[in-house]
Amino acid sequence: MVAWDLRRLRFLREFEERGKLGAVATALGYSPSTVSQQLALLEREVGTRLFEKAGRGVRLTDAGHLLAQHARVLLSAAEAAEADLAALSGDIRGTVRAGGLQSAARRLLVPAVARMMADHPQVRAEIFELELEQALPGLRLGAVDLVIGDEYDGHPRPRPAGLRFAVLHEEPLKVVLPAAHPLAGTGEPVPVAMLRSDVWATSDEGTGHHAMVVGTCRSLGGYEPDLRHRSSDADVQLELVRVAAAVALLPALTLPADDPALAVRDVAETTLRRRLVVVTRDTPPAPALTTFLAAVTDQASKINEP
């Protein structure tokens, strides 16, 4: 009988997800040689080939894919056992690793960290800024515990198996113009169709925001926007509107309360909305994660209050 080493099984799951030894090493904080050695030990322990040559690298054999599927189950069971034992003791301690896009990190995660420091100082909360697309692999594999992402009307997020999604906050999207823009003076809603000739600022390609801007210009305006500027930092997009005469389509949560250099207007053709979505693994959470998620949810409810 094989005595399963959970660390080596995690290396295998990471490799199944990421496909390269270097990517596994970076994700887990080991050297590539250490990852290679541990996977070679796992292969010897099970007595069958888990990897085969593929160009300059390696890929999983059928046996490797099969064991990776079982590794997923074993690692989930170990995580559930750890959570159950922690809950039984009633002790709220441990580490919570949470990520999110800029506005979520600023308005939801940072206040939640402050609350945990005051109420549960034995919980170590680690926060990082990351788009949902980048964070999902780590979330599925257990390197991240909670991620806040966004989704837009007409652009719903996929719902991969093994993850739990919950809406935290919903808000309108606003057209943001330089104060001197010809459409800014009236204070009326701005037709997206009238921004055909403008230069746009948007988030990086591959993000939900980028896809939303492109889709909105196509569906409401019938044109391909001039996406000359790309940044996933909303403050950078706003600065591009101020000083480079760009236009943007941004959620209300990212906007300053009052800025004379900006004109914030409703979209004329329709109401567009963004939802902030919290994503966790679909396994029993440890008490520290449950408590942190409650702090995030409570902060979201305060933002939602009129």
Side-chain angles (χ1 to χ4, degrees):
M1 179 180 293
V2 178
W4 298 109
D5 185 308
L6 292 179
R7 185 178 63 154
R8 290 171 192 157
L9 291 177
R10 185 169 296 282
F11 286 165
L12 182 66
R13 277 284 292 118
E14 287 276 353
F15 183 85
E16 181 191 42
E17 186 75 28
R18 303 180 190 278
K20 294 183 179 180
L21 293 174
V24 175
T26 299
L28 297 180
Y30 292 91
S31 68
S33 62
T34 298
V35 173
S36 181
Q37 290 167 8
Q38 291 299 312
L39 290 174
L41 284 172
L42 178 62
E43 196 171 49
R44 286 201 291 271
E45 288 171 351
V46 300
T48 189
R49 290 183 62 197
L50 302 176
F51 302 91
E52 60 187 6
K53 285 286 186 181
R56 295 184 178 181
V58 295
R59 64 188 176 196
L60 290 175
T61 62
D62 290 343
H65 283 293
L66 179 63
L67 184 56
Q69 292 174 19
H70 286 290
R72 186 183 304 115
V73 176
L74 292 170
L75 291 167
S76 294
E79 185 177 332
E82 185 178 351
D84 287 345
L85 287 172
L88 187 64
S89 70
D91 198 11
I92 301 177
R93 63 171 64 236
T95 300
V96 175
R97 297 166 294 271
L101 65 164
Q102 183 198 56
S103 57
R106 178 183 298 169
R107 300 293 298 275
L108 297 176
L109 294 179
V110 172
V113 170
R115 180 167 169 179
M116 295 297 288
M117 290 176 64
D119 297 346
H120 303 283
Q122 292 179 308
V123 174
R124 173 188 172 94
E126 300 177 0
I127 303 301
F128 51 91
E129 186 180 325
L130 201 61
E131 292 285 338
L132 184 59
E133 293 85 356
Q134 300 168 303
L136 281 181
L139 182 62
R140 285 195 294 264
L141 292 166
V144 180
D145 301 305
L146 177 153
V147 177
I148 300 177
D150 56 4
E151 63 180 13
Y152 299 86
D153 287 346
H155 300 273
R157 293 281 190 182
R159 298 293 198 261
L163 299 177
R164 182 182 294 118
F165 289 72
V167 175
L168 285 173
H169 174 71
E170 188 169 332
E171 60 184 342
L173 293 170
K174 302 288 186 177
V175 176
V176 187
L177 309 170
H181 193 283
L183 296 176
T186 66
E188 296 296 319
V190 171
V192 173
M194 296 291 290
L195 302 175
R196 176 187 296 270
S197 300
D198 285 273
V199 171
W200 285 79
T202 185
S203 296
D204 295 329
E205 191 170 359
T207 62
H209 181 264
H210 184 280
M212 179 275 298
V213 170
V214 172
T216 298
C217 290
R218 287 173 178 171
S219 62
L220 299 184
Y223 61 89
E224 293 294 321
D226 181 359
L227 301 181
R228 198 171 302 181
H229 308 299
R230 296 182 179 90
S231 173
S232 291
D233 187 328
D235 287 340
V236 172
Q237 291 190 43
L238 290 170
E239 189 66 7
L240 286 163
V241 175
R242 292 185 187 98
V243 304
V247 300
L249 190 57
L250 289 169
L253 202 62
T254 66
L255 301 177
D258 187 25
D259 187 330
L262 301 175
V264 178
R265 302 288 183 263
D266 291 331
V267 177
E269 293 94 339
T270 188
T271 299
L272 298 173
R273 303 190 72 81
R274 175 183 83 153
R275 286 165 294 283
L276 291 181
V277 181
V278 61
V279 190
T280 55
R281 287 183 297 283
D282 192 14
T283 55
L289 177 57
T290 299
T291 306
F292 185 84
L293 182 56
V296 170
T297 303
D298 183 62
Q299 180 63 23
S301 68
K302 294 177 181 177
I303 292 175
N304 290 331
E305 290 174 358

